[in-house]
């Protein structure tokens, strides 16, 4: 089981400390491990630095990726202290397996926008354009929260889309659109903001039918239970709300 957990942990998403390094430093005190949806990368990295500043000697180590994959890793034994998911459905994978300590709490919400490359070469103006023949559209995989939300929003708009690829997290969709490998993609509003001008976001009304709640919970048998509770308190508190709101998340 230990070997499987390590292999899984190495295979998904980005691992980063709250500081500049992605490697866990030996001899530096305790390390809090947080599994979090890819769309939380920027806000949580900033909060990780804040947490480290308030806890000398503590490092915050993040595992960012698709929520469904992270949830599977936790249920298969990957060591983690905190799990922050991009949907209640993916969080349920962890709670149903008995791998959550206490009840998850919703700390943020997010909604989709259409992302297009700079200059909008595909001439996308509205969600209906995504069904246009020949337009290269990239979506998240359906088991990932951004993919499930895209399915709901497109159904609400009555638009059929045949994506050229389905990605395992929302950051991969943003990357493909930003590089011009796709004419459009459905991503979160926060990811367009984080892309800092590399893509343009187009709002569409049907996105209101697929707003994602983001729950957070301490993982059962967390190696650092006390720190896990404090980090969740930071996320849900004034500083966390400020960071999340600044990143473009809606607040409950």
């Amino acid at each position: 089981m230990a070997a499987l957990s390590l292999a899984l942990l190495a295979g998904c998403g980005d691992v980063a400390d709250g500081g500049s390094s992605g490697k866990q430093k030996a001899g530096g005190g305790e390390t809090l491990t947080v599994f979090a949806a890819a769309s939380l990368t920027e806000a949580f990295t900033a909060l990780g630095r804040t947490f480290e500043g308030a806890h000398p000697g503590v490092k915050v180590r993040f595992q960012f990726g698709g929520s469904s994959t992270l949830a599977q890793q936790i249920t298969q034994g990957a060591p983690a202290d905190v799990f922050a998911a991009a949907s209640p459905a993916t969080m349920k994978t962890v709670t149903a397996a008995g791998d959550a300590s206490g009840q998850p709490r919703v700390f943020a919400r997010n909604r989709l926008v259409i992302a297009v490359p700079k200059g909008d070469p595909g001439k996308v103006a509205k969600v209906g354009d995504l069904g246009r023949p020949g337009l290269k559209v990239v979506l998240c995989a359906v088991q990932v929260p951004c993919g499930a939300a895209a399915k709901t929003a497109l159904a609400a708009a009555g638009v059929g889309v045949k994506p050229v690829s389905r990605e395992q997290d929302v950051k991969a969709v943003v990357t493909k659109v930003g590089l011009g490998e796709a004419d459009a993609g459905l991503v979160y509003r926060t990811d367009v903001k984080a892309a800092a001008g590399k893509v343009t976001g187009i709002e569409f009304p049907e996105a209101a039918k697929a707003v994602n709640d983001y729950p957070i919970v301490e993982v059962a048998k967390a190696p650092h239970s006390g720190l896990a509770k404090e980090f969740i308190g930071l996320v849900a508190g004034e500083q966390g709300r400020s960071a999340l709101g600044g990143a473009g998340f809606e607040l409950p």
Side-chain angles (χ1 to χ4, degrees), residues 9 12-16 32-45 47 60-71 73-74 79-87 90-91 107 144-145 168-171 214-217 219 231 235 244 249:
L9 190 58
C12 174
D14 298 325
V15 179
L32 178 74
T33 301
V34 178
F35 278 31
S39 49
L40 291 165
T41 299
E42 292 77 19
F44 266 35
T45 298
L47 288 172
V60 182
R61 181 176 182 269
F62 291 105
Q63 177 77 11
F64 294 112
S67 295
S68 57
T69 301
L70 296 176
Q73 289 182 349
I74 291 171
D81 296 293
V82 175
F83 179 42
S87 73
T90 47
M91 177 59 75
F107 64 94
V144 180
Q168 290 304 307
D169 66 58
V170 71
K171 295 297 186 185
Y214 281 55
I216 190 169
V217 76
V219 176
F231 183 81
V235 170
L244 291 160
F249 286 92

Side-chain angles (χ1 to χ4, degrees), residues 124-152:
V124 177
K126 58 186 185 299
V127 69
D129 292 335
L130 300 183
R132 200 169 67 224
L135 193 78
K136 293 183 292 184
V137 179
V138 178
L139 301 175
C140 289
V142 291
Q143 69 269 24
V144 180
C146 61
K151 181 179 179 180
T152 299

Side-chain angles (χ1 to χ4, degrees), residues 4-24:
L4 174 61
S5 298
L6 289 172
L8 284 167
L9 190 58
C12 174
D14 298 325
V15 179
D17 288 340
S20 60
S21 171
K23 296 181 180 179
Q24 181 174 333

Side-chain angles (χ1 to χ4, degrees), residues 56-238:
V58 173
K59 297 299 295 181
V60 182
R61 181 176 182 269
F62 291 105
Q63 177 77 11
F64 294 112
S67 295
S68 57
T69 301
L70 296 176
Q72 183 182 32
Q73 289 182 349
I74 291 171
T75 61
Q76 292 183 355
D81 296 293
V82 175
F83 179 42
S87 73
T90 47
M91 177 59 75
K92 189 175 180 180
T93 299
V94 172
T95 58
D99 289 319
S101 177
Q103 292 297 315
R105 60 190 297 181
V106 173
F107 64 94
R109 296 188 172 96
N110 215 347
R111 69 177 64 205
L112 297 175
V113 296
I114 304 165
V116 298
K118 291 176 66 175
D120 189 13
K123 306 300 180 186
V124 177
K126 58 186 185 299
V127 69
D129 292 335
L130 300 183
R132 200 169 67 224
L135 193 78
K136 293 183 292 184
V137 179
V138 178
L139 301 175
C140 289
V142 291
Q143 69 269 24
V144 180
C146 61
K151 181 179 179 180
T152 299
L154 289 170
V159 178
V161 175
K162 293 182 178 179
V164 294
S165 72
R166 287 192 176 272
E167 305 300 322
Q168 290 304 307
D169 66 58
V170 71
K171 295 297 186 185
V173 176
V174 174
T175 297
K176 284 204 167 186
V177 174
L179 291 173
E181 295 177 8
D183 298 311
L186 288 181
V187 304
Y188 295 122
R189 178 187 288 168
T190 54
D191 293 294
V192 169
K193 185 169 185 176
K198 295 178 181 178
V199 299
T200 299
I202 300 170
E203 303 271 350
F204 63 104
E206 291 81 5
K209 303 288 187 181
V211 175
N212 276 14
D213 286 345
Y214 281 55
I216 190 169
V217 76
E218 177 187 341
V219 176
K221 300 180 182 177
H224 304 93
S225 178
L227 290 174
K229 289 180 174 65
E230 288 190 54
F231 183 81
I232 291 171
L234 172 66
V235 170
E238 183 178 342

